[in-house]
Amino acid sequence: MTGIDWERLRAAARRTVPQAYAPYSGYQVGAAALVDDGRVVVGCNVENASYGVGLCAECGLVSQLSATGGGRLVAFTCCNKRGERIMPCGRCRQLLFEFGGDELLVDTPAGVLPMSQVLPQAFGPADLDHIR
């Protein structure tokens, strides 16, 4: 956790919440992450009238990561419109694991935890190496 400005990341997530498009649930989410090159990437949730195709804030964050040069996620946080820290859903934990690995630090309601504890025994790219 050394060198990570968690307050800066949390503030970036909170600033992103109002950009969320959540007309159906009213549940706005903002997310922010530190990239290994020092950038901060953000995302917000985007709902759709066809509920199943809505995008979580983490999806937008990872898209911004890719669109702005890639890299590895080092630290991640997300919050609701009250600014409360929330946990990524299962799909998003998998997505974050893909771009941050076991070492990604996740700001949870219970404190900062490595992804290896948030998503233990995760399935990832290394599991596919033997079939390539």
Side-chain angles (χ1 to χ4, degrees), residues 38-81:
R39 283 178 294 140
V40 171
V41 291
V42 297
C44 60
N45 60 317
V46 177
E47 294 180 347
N48 189 282
S50 177
Y51 294 148
V53 296
L55 299 173
C56 295
E58 295 85 347
C59 296
L61 182 146
V62 167
S63 182
Q64 186 182 67
L65 171 71
S66 187
T68 60
R72 298 294 288 168
L73 299 176
V74 174
F76 169 84
T77 190
C78 63
C79 65
N80 61 24
K81 65 184 173 184

Side-chain angles (χ1 to χ4, degrees), residues 71-125:
R72 298 294 288 168
L73 299 176
V74 174
F76 169 84
T77 190
C78 63
C79 65
N80 61 24
K81 65 184 173 184
R82 292 188 204 143
E84 300 165 331
R85 279 177 265 171
I86 57 174
M87 287 298 291
C89 71
R91 174 181 84 162
C92 290
R93 292 177 197 201
Q94 182 67 39
L95 183 64
L96 292 168
F97 174 77
E98 182 86 12
F99 291 91
D102 280 332
E103 303 82 24
L104 172 62
L105 297 175
V106 181
D107 191 21
T108 78
V112 176
L113 298 172
M115 181 56 79
S116 61
Q117 290 183 29
V118 173
L119 187 65
Q121 300 182 45
F123 181 88

